[in-house]
Amino acid sequence: IFNPRLSVPEFYQHVATLLDVRKWETKSELLIELGRALEARHSRGLRTVLIVDEAQGLSPHVLEEIRLLSNFESNTAKHLQIVLTGQPELREVLNNPDLRQLKQRVALRCVIQPLPNVEETERYITSRLLVAGAETLDIFSAEAVDYIYRCSAGIPRNVNNLCDNALLAGYSAGEAIIGPELIEEVAVTFDMLPTPDRAVQTGEVKEAPAPIFSSSSRAELWAAGTGAKENEPELDLPMPVEH
């Protein structure tokens, strides 16, 4: 479920459609048919997972219904696994006293922390480029990566936005290498220029770019990620960082 702004009836209609549950008119009938569908899937060795994105936007009423859905189980296993993903505000939602029973049902929590330094930011960008099919890892200059880290405060989503839009801007300008100037243009557009508060958050202590991967290290990582030989030619083609 990608849109959390649903009422309780809309939520159940969405779940019923996802699981192909059709013959129902009342909530009671839906829950009975839903239980049968989940049990049938479980008996066939299938694992059913309901993933709710942007869960911090769910109403307390829908969250309570989600808690009740976790009751679909047998003596040996859960028939429905539920994953809630969202922004940091989700923690505040779960701390609502009215949702304490839901909070007690949460078996595992995972929090994506900001990237701690420019080296990790470089590795993150490199991994995204490899997944996107980049034919070279030298798309972003060392100065650009340093500036990305300072503008984004190490937050992966901010890194994605900066890189993606910088690649579009670089492509439009005919630039094979993304420099700090292009990053600054994007940062101005998104109101992400470094501020004193952001500098404190990232632990920034100097203006000069921090050391990152050398050219040989880039080539080694590229060869490891693709199975290519170190002496194979590389093409300076900008590729998008996928969301």
Side-chain angles (χ1 to χ4, degrees):
I1 297 178
F2 298 101
N3 188 347
R5 301 293 183 179
L6 299 172
S7 65
V8 171
E10 290 171 338
F11 170 76
Y12 276 120
Q13 289 172 358
H14 198 141
V15 172
T17 300
L18 291 175
L19 295 177
D20 198 26
V21 177
R22 301 177 182 179
K23 297 180 179 180
W24 63 278
E25 293 183 0
T26 66
K27 179 179 177 181
S28 176
E29 293 176 351
L30 170 61
L31 292 177
I32 292 173
E33 294 300 321
L34 187 59
R36 290 173 178 170
L38 292 172
E39 185 176 0
R41 290 175 58 83
H42 179 70
S43 66
R44 300 202 309 271
L46 299 176
R47 177 175 297 174
T48 307
V49 184
L50 175 65
I51 303 175
V52 184
D53 197 12
E54 302 294 345
Q56 76 280 352
L58 291 169
S59 70
H61 298 292
V62 174
L63 283 168
E64 178 61 14
E65 297 299 329
I66 288 176
R67 180 185 73 83
L68 295 175
L69 287 180
S70 66
N71 291 328
F72 285 115
E73 60 186 351
S74 63
N75 294 330
T76 58
K78 290 279 188 182
H79 290 176
L80 180 64
Q81 303 288 335
I82 300 174
V83 178
L84 303 178
T85 70
Q87 301 301 312
E89 292 78 10
L90 179 58
R91 181 189 299 270
E92 301 175 9
V93 171
L94 293 177
N95 285 333
N96 185 331
D98 295 335
L99 297 174
R100 62 185 182 281
Q101 295 185 58
L102 173 62
K103 183 179 179 181
Q104 293 168 359
R105 293 288 183 93
V106 177
L108 180 65
R109 288 193 182 194
C110 180
V111 179
I112 299 178
Q113 301 291 348
L115 300 169
N117 50 49
V118 70
E119 289 87 354
E120 287 296 319
T121 303
E122 164 73 3
R123 294 186 181 99
Y124 177 74
I125 294 173
T126 298
S127 68
R128 301 284 291 193
L129 289 172
L130 285 171
V131 170
E135 298 181 3
T136 177
L137 298 181
D138 291 321
I139 295 176
F140 294 90
S141 70
E143 295 80 4
V145 173
D146 180 81
Y147 202 50
I148 290 171
Y149 171 67
R150 290 192 284 148
C151 291
S152 67
I155 299 174
R157 177 170 291 188
N158 290 344
V159 174
N160 293 346
N161 288 336
L162 285 169
C163 291
D164 188 47
N165 285 276
L167 287 169
L168 290 174
Y171 178 78
S172 298
E175 299 287 344
I177 302 298
I178 305 299
E181 297 81 9
L182 282 173
I183 302 300
E184 183 176 17
E185 291 180 12
V186 174
V188 169
T189 302
F190 285 89
D191 295 323
M192 293 174 60
L193 287 175
T195 63
D197 291 341
R198 184 173 287 132
V200 172
Q201 181 178 352
T202 60
E204 181 184 337
V205 295
K206 59 181 180 178
E207 291 292 336
I212 57 176
F213 287 168
S214 63
S215 298
S216 60
S217 297
R218 288 172 180 267
E220 182 179 352
L221 181 58
W222 169 243
T226 63
K229 297 180 180 179
E230 291 186 3
N231 59 358
E232 287 184 349
E234 296 182 346
L235 301 177
D236 288 328
L237 298 177
M239 298 292 289
V241 178
E242 68 170 10
H243 288 292

